[in-house]
Amino acid sequence: MIEPIYSPAANRYDGNMQFRRSGKSGVLMSVLSLGFWHNFGSISNFQNCKAMMHYAFDHGITCYDLANNYGPLYGTAEETFGRLMDCSMHPYRDEMFITTKAGYDMWPGPYGEWGSRKYLMASLNQSLKRMHLDYVDLFYSHRFDPNTPLEETCQALVDIVRQGKALYVGISRYPDDAAAFAYNYLKERDVPCLCHQGKHNLLERDDSAINLAAASGVGYVGFSPLEQGLLTNRYLNGIPADSRMGRKEALTPDRLTPKLIEQLKALNAIAEERGESLAQMSLAWVLSNSAISSVIIGTSSVAQMQDNLNVLKSQPFSEDQLSRIERILNSIE
């Protein structure tokens, strides 16, 4: 059976999705970005990947977050993205804001990770081939390299833009002093840093990096807003066997202490008062900071994405709710 040609929803920009400017740039980012870290690799069902991609685009998500070694296996999330472009998304390339990164291990040997010019240039060339793209909208240095001169890493980013392989560049998970250096270096060469990507959620906050980015006119993109599922209702009553923690994938059972369960239940009580799931409230809390341009969601199904999109209906937090949340968070030992 021949599948019908994909035709996106005509009302995808009808006002339901929200957009925020990234720093002082001209770029508006959908407040939710679709992350390809898990669930889009070679072990994932392609039809499910396509369904999630189409649903995201139909509902106004314009930002797509990838990296060279996302999968699993390494590189296969970008390959899946390339297949999606070929089968349905290429006509809408100019409506999409596509990002990728390099910094963590990708291939064997001394040139397969970190922040050298050699690695960043080679990795981006490979990524473009896998994604079937001529350029990405944003290319990140995925992590600070303490053993490579930061001038070398930053100059590689400058040259990547000048070569037309990326429209913008950014940094991810940089310490504040290195981030400040990068912001200044890039700005002085007329290739300003578009955004800093970091981990930010109720349990693990990145306030210092967010404040520095805002003061520097740089946007901030948050990842892991649900702390890999901890900030959902999955673990309120223990560890489900089919959960990421149950399978010991990234989350280990020792993380779920009795104290943390108590705190998650207290946060969930506030979410219920708001008429939300714990996941929805957690996303809403991240987005309550206007300095955050976009937050990356990772979903394994259209149903999960539907739940995440409900954050767009969230009401502002009351001062009492924010104070109670702070008290719960400050009780973490």
Side-chain angles (χ1 to χ4, degrees):
M1 178 179 176
I2 298 176
E3 292 188 38
I5 296 174
Y6 170 62
S7 180
N11 64 346
R12 58 190 179 278
Y13 302 120
D14 64 0
N16 288 328
M17 178 54 65
Q18 301 161 19
F19 293 86
R20 293 184 182 177
R21 193 168 302 281
S22 185
K24 293 183 178 179
S25 76
V27 175
L28 293 173
M29 304 185 80
S30 54
V31 294
L32 297 181
S33 296
L34 179 58
F36 278 62
W37 180 32
H38 289 304
N39 306 316
F40 286 87
S42 57
I43 65 172
S44 299
N45 179 279
F46 181 73
Q47 292 303 316
N48 187 52
C49 295
K50 183 163 63 173
M52 290 191 288
M53 181 75 187
H54 290 176
Y55 192 88
F57 193 71
D58 285 344
H59 288 79
I61 294 178
T62 58
C63 300
Y64 303 92
D65 182 82
L66 296 100
N68 55 358
N69 62 356
Y70 285 178
L73 303 169
Y74 283 3
T76 59
E78 290 182 330
E79 290 175 354
T80 295
F81 190 87
R83 289 181 65 189
L84 291 168
M85 292 300 293
D86 288 347
C87 75
S88 57
M89 300 307 298
H90 257 308
Y92 312 102
R93 169 66 182 93
D94 291 337
E95 295 184 43
M96 303 165 68
F97 196 83
I98 303 165
T99 76
T100 195
K101 319 178 196 71
Y104 286 91
D105 61 298
M106 180 58 191
W107 63 83
Y111 316 122
E113 63 177 325
W114 293 108
S116 71
R117 179 184 183 88
K118 165 73 172 174
Y119 172 56
L120 296 180
M121 293 283 193
S123 180
L124 179 54
N125 287 337
Q126 293 181 17
S127 291
L128 293 175
K129 290 178 181 177
R130 284 190 291 267
M131 292 192 288
H132 303 173
L133 298 173
D134 296 323
Y135 68 94
V136 290
D137 296 287
L138 171 62
F139 179 69
Y140 289 99
S141 168
H142 204 170
R143 61 170 168 171
F144 170 66
D145 181 351
N147 297 312
T148 294
L150 194 45
E151 294 90 343
E152 177 178 339
T153 300
C154 290
Q155 188 60 45
L157 296 178
V158 169
D159 292 342
I160 280 168
V161 170
R162 291 176 178 167
Q163 291 173 1
K165 295 178 180 179
L167 300 183
Y168 302 90
V169 290
I171 58 175
S172 178
R173 309 195 78 169
Y174 270 47
D176 285 351
D177 57 344
F181 179 94
Y183 296 159
N184 289 331
Y185 187 99
L186 295 169
K187 183 178 181 181
E188 289 173 354
R189 286 151 184 83
D190 299 321
V191 183
C193 183
L194 183 74
C195 55
H196 187 179
Q197 186 177 127
K199 185 177 185 179
H200 185 66
N201 58 56
L202 281 163
L203 301 178
E204 189 168 337
R205 296 163 69 161
D206 201 22
D207 295 323
S208 177
I210 294 170
N211 293 337
L212 176 61
S216 305
V218 175
Y220 184 92
V221 173
F223 69 85
S224 199
L226 304 182
E227 190 57 16
Q228 299 185 60
L230 272 180
L231 289 165
T232 69
N233 62 5
R234 295 213 77 187
Y235 300 101
L236 295 177
N237 298 300
I239 305 173
D242 64 343
S243 66
R244 185 174 294 178
M245 186 176 288
R247 298 189 299 269
K248 297 182 180 179
E249 296 176 358
L251 285 175
T252 55
D254 60 330
R255 178 82 186 275
L256 196 66
T257 63
K259 180 66 173 179
L260 181 56
I261 292 176
E262 177 185 333
Q263 290 162 327
L264 292 175
K265 288 182 175 180
L267 291 170
N268 188 58
I270 298 176
E272 289 179 344
E273 290 175 13
R274 290 170 51 83
E276 297 175 338
S277 66
L278 177 56
Q280 184 180 342
M281 187 187 78
S282 299
L283 283 169
W285 180 86
V286 173
L287 289 172
S288 68
N289 187 335
S290 61
I292 293 176
S293 308
S294 184
V295 61
I296 299 166
I297 58 171
T299 63
S300 59
S301 66
V302 167
Q304 279 190 354
M305 194 179 302
Q306 289 172 332
D307 186 57
N308 287 172
L309 282 163
N310 283 331
V311 71
L312 301 173
K313 304 173 185 177
S314 291
Q315 297 299 309
F317 288 90
S318 69
E319 289 300 322
D320 176 66
Q321 290 170 344
L322 290 173
S323 296
R324 289 162 60 197
I325 288 171
E326 285 298 318
R327 288 197 294 272
I328 294 168
L329 298 178
N330 289 335
S331 68
I332 293 177
E333 299 177 351

